[in-house]
Amino acid sequence: MPQKSDQPSWVKEFRKAVKASTPKGWLVMQGKKESTRVQIRKDAKKIADITIPYAWKESDWPDALMRIKAAAKAYEESGQKLDLKTCFNIAHTVSSETEIDWAGALVAFRKSKGKKVKDSNWENKYMPVLIDFKHEIIDGRRKYKKDSEGKKIPCSPSNIERLAKKYSNSKALCKVALKRWEKGTTQHRHMRLALYGFLRYCVEEQNFESIWMPPAVTSKDAVEEVKRIGYPLTDAQIIRLLDSFPIDDVGNKWRFAFQCMAVYGLRPEDLRHIHTRNGGQEIWSNYEKSKGGKKGNKTAPRRLYPLLVNDLDGPISWHLKEQLHICEQEGRSLIPPLGREGEAAASCKTYLSRRKVWEAIKKEIAKEKQELTPYSFRHRYAYYGHNRPKADGSYRAPKQVADAMGHTLDTHLLSYSRFQTKDLASAFDETTLLVKAAA
């Protein structure tokens, strides 16, 4: 028998799953001719032993586990009076008659959501955990078939169906299914809600066994309230980056988009909604972002106010408002393709990741333990809004910057209070002029 350290990882998983889903004393091991052998031990003595018709290999152990679980249930329900062979014969009959239809449950679950869950939300917030795209890619493309109503369903078994063959209860299944997403993140929360909702539906509406009811939510599952601290791009970095864009129609549209994000402090999604008013004298965003909390509470459309990017000679006027107004008059669009609603940040990130200068800046600031994202253009606006003096030498009130960025004051301070303290170094011994030479 191989030493523990030499065992393949699937053997460890198999034994761990058997231990978790059977009474104390049930063991599995390799039998003769690579078969699977099951033993029951009590007080260090073997009291039952049987070889079952499953090969001792990774592809067969999930099915063997299902049979062992059913046999163990029959053994316990008999008060441990039935012999092991009879229990496995019962298990074979039960497993043949009561196979769980995960695929059917998944289709029914999607139908139960109806129009309350749009196709885009289904694909973004349900499918990654329930179906798992990495198992749906064939020849580099995602493959689906469609049900009678034209809804997309996977060609291969769902992620949950595969995991359910390995793990005997919802707690073990959920732990593995959700491990790809970091706890405390919004993405982890979305995936947990989708998975727990599906499992609850299976038990309550599809009559699955209660072992598939999702586990209780704990404090560890909560989304962390500490917001990620993004890096505010400097004007020099913005100019350096934009100068690297190609001079063609696509490059010019992306250049315009990032110029607007920097100068007007836009969110990526704002780009879809910017337009001019009053004969081109004002530029506005009609983007209505959910405020969270009370359902339907959204931000209001807002007028945009510029904080120009400076080079060595002073403020640069890219005439963004004028360009936008002219294109509106001519029926042309200056905005690059941003994907579906809600995907603008991802589209910006994809384009930027292909730029060598962006990746170089990213490495530079990573050394300072900071993070570069498409929102770094918006962070730049917040930073200069608080720290660049107005023409009269005074500074803007926090409420003014918050309004210009489409924030409530509380939300703004939660994200950008770090930009408000000015000239902090001079309040401490950060200048050599204050340090006396040692006697």
Side-chain angles (χ1 to χ4, degrees):
M1 190 171 177
Q3 296 296 315
K4 256 190 173 181
S5 59
D6 298 330
Q7 291 176 356
S9 60
W10 70 265
V11 174
K12 296 177 182 178
E13 284 187 42
F14 187 15
R15 287 179 170 154
K16 186 177 180 181
V18 168
K19 184 178 180 180
S21 57
T22 59
K24 185 178 180 181
W26 283 63
L27 305 172
V28 288
M29 60 200 71
Q30 184 175 348
K32 294 180 180 179
K33 297 182 180 179
E34 296 189 348
S35 61
T36 298
R37 185 177 169 193
V38 181
Q39 284 186 359
I40 303 177
R41 289 181 171 270
K42 188 174 183 180
D43 299 328
K45 293 181 181 180
K46 181 175 68 175
I47 62 172
D49 192 337
I50 191 172
T51 297
I52 58 177
Y54 296 92
W56 186 255
K57 57 184 182 182
E58 185 173 9
S59 59
D60 281 29
W61 81 257
D63 292 330
L65 174 63
M66 298 296 287
R67 184 88 172 270
I68 292 167
K69 284 163 56 180
K73 184 178 179 181
Y75 184 70
E76 288 300 300
E77 288 177 348
S78 73
Q80 301 184 0
K81 293 177 181 179
L82 287 176
D83 65 90
L84 207 51
K85 184 176 181 180
T86 301
C87 291
F88 271 96
N89 286 337
I90 294 172
H92 176 67
T93 303
V94 171
S95 62
S96 299
E97 293 176 354
T98 60
E99 185 173 347
I100 298 176
D101 185 10
W102 289 101
L106 184 61
V107 173
F109 179 63
R110 177 64 187 104
K111 288 181 178 178
S112 74
K113 293 295 180 181
K115 294 181 179 180
K116 291 187 294 183
V117 174
K118 296 179 181 178
D119 283 344
S120 58
N121 282 343
W122 175 254
E123 292 187 15
N124 292 329
K125 296 181 180 179
Y126 288 83
M127 290 179 74
V129 67
L130 298 180
I131 294 170
D132 197 351
F133 280 147
K134 66 183 180 182
H135 295 285
E136 300 302 317
I137 295 176
I138 302 173
D139 297 329
R141 303 189 67 180
R142 294 173 180 170
K143 298 291 184 180
Y144 308 92
K145 54 187 177 181
K146 294 185 178 181
D147 63 16
S148 59
E149 296 181 1
K151 299 289 186 183
K152 292 179 180 178
I153 56 175
C155 295
S156 60
S158 71
N159 189 37
I160 302 307
E161 184 176 356
R162 291 184 306 100
L163 293 177
K165 290 182 178 180
K166 289 187 177 183
Y167 301 97
S168 60
N169 55 65
S170 66
K171 185 175 181 180
L173 183 149
C174 291
K175 183 177 180 181
V176 176
L178 294 170
K179 69 180 182 181
R180 290 165 49 199
W181 296 280
E182 184 182 351
K183 276 195 172 185
T185 62
T186 301
Q187 188 71 0
H188 183 277
R189 177 177 178 274
H190 287 320
M191 297 303 110
R192 174 175 54 76
L193 290 173
L195 177 56
Y196 283 22
F198 173 62
L199 292 175
R200 193 174 293 107
Y201 175 84
C202 287
V203 175
E204 295 176 353
E205 303 295 334
Q206 298 292 310
N207 298 317
F208 282 27
E209 292 183 64
S210 60
I211 58 169
W212 297 114
M213 185 63 78
V217 178
T218 68
S219 58
K220 292 180 180 179
D221 296 310
V223 177
E224 292 180 359
E225 294 184 3
V226 178
K227 292 186 71 73
R228 180 174 60 184
I229 298 177
Y231 174 78
L233 282 162
T234 66
D235 285 1
Q237 288 169 331
I238 290 171
I239 294 169
R240 175 182 160 201
L241 174 65
L242 297 180
D243 284 348
S244 73
F245 285 14
I247 308 297
D248 55 26
D249 186 58
V250 174
N252 290 338
K253 285 184 175 181
W254 279 111
R255 185 180 290 102
F256 177 82
F258 291 118
Q259 285 172 340
C260 287
M261 287 169 67
V263 170
Y264 291 108
L266 303 184
R267 303 176 182 92
E269 208 63 38
D270 273 311
L271 292 168
R272 303 179 197 274
H273 304 277
I274 57 173
H275 60 280
T276 61
R277 295 186 185 181
N278 296 329
Q281 296 302 306
E282 299 170 359
I283 185 168
W284 284 68
S285 171
N286 270 5
Y287 177 47
E288 297 181 349
K289 182 181 183 295
S290 173
K291 290 184 177 181
K294 187 176 179 181
K295 192 171 183 180
N297 198 4
K298 296 183 178 181
T299 58
R302 72 187 193 277
R303 182 179 174 182
L304 305 177
Y305 298 92
L307 284 173
L308 299 179
V309 171
N310 288 4
D311 63 10
L312 293 175
D313 297 321
I316 305 172
S317 178
W318 285 318
H319 303 290
L320 303 174
K321 183 171 57 181
E322 292 78 8
Q323 288 187 65
L324 183 60
H325 182 62
I326 290 171
C327 286
E328 288 172 344
Q329 299 297 103
E330 297 176 353
R332 293 186 293 113
S333 175
L334 269 176
I335 305 302
L338 298 172
R340 293 176 301 189
E341 197 78 24
E343 294 183 354
S347 298
C348 291
K349 183 178 180 180
T350 298
Y351 185 81
L352 290 169
S353 66
R354 295 171 181 165
R355 311 265 70 81
K356 291 181 179 179
V357 173
W358 175 262
E359 291 303 309
I361 296 172
K362 200 171 186 178
K363 288 179 182 178
E364 291 167 11
I365 69 163
K367 294 176 182 177
E368 300 178 4
K369 308 299 181 185
Q370 298 196 69
E371 186 175 8
L372 187 66
T373 74
Y375 273 80
S376 291
F377 295 90
R378 180 168 165 85
H379 298 332
R380 172 263 172 200
Y381 185 90
Y383 176 80
Y384 284 116
H386 287 293
N387 288 279
R388 178 186 288 172
K390 296 187 290 185
D392 63 3
S394 64
Y395 288 92
R396 298 163 191 86
K399 182 69 166 60
Q400 290 178 313
V401 184
D403 288 345
M405 297 184 71
H407 281 154
T408 63
L409 182 58
D410 287 344
T411 298
H412 187 77
L413 294 179
L414 182 65
S415 298
Y416 296 119
S417 60
R418 68 189 191 277
F419 292 157
Q420 289 188 64
T421 304
K422 303 168 187 66
D423 205 17
L424 187 60
S426 64
F428 297 88
D429 294 340
E430 275 291 323
T431 168
T432 55
L433 296 176
L434 298 178
V435 179
K436 296 180 179 179

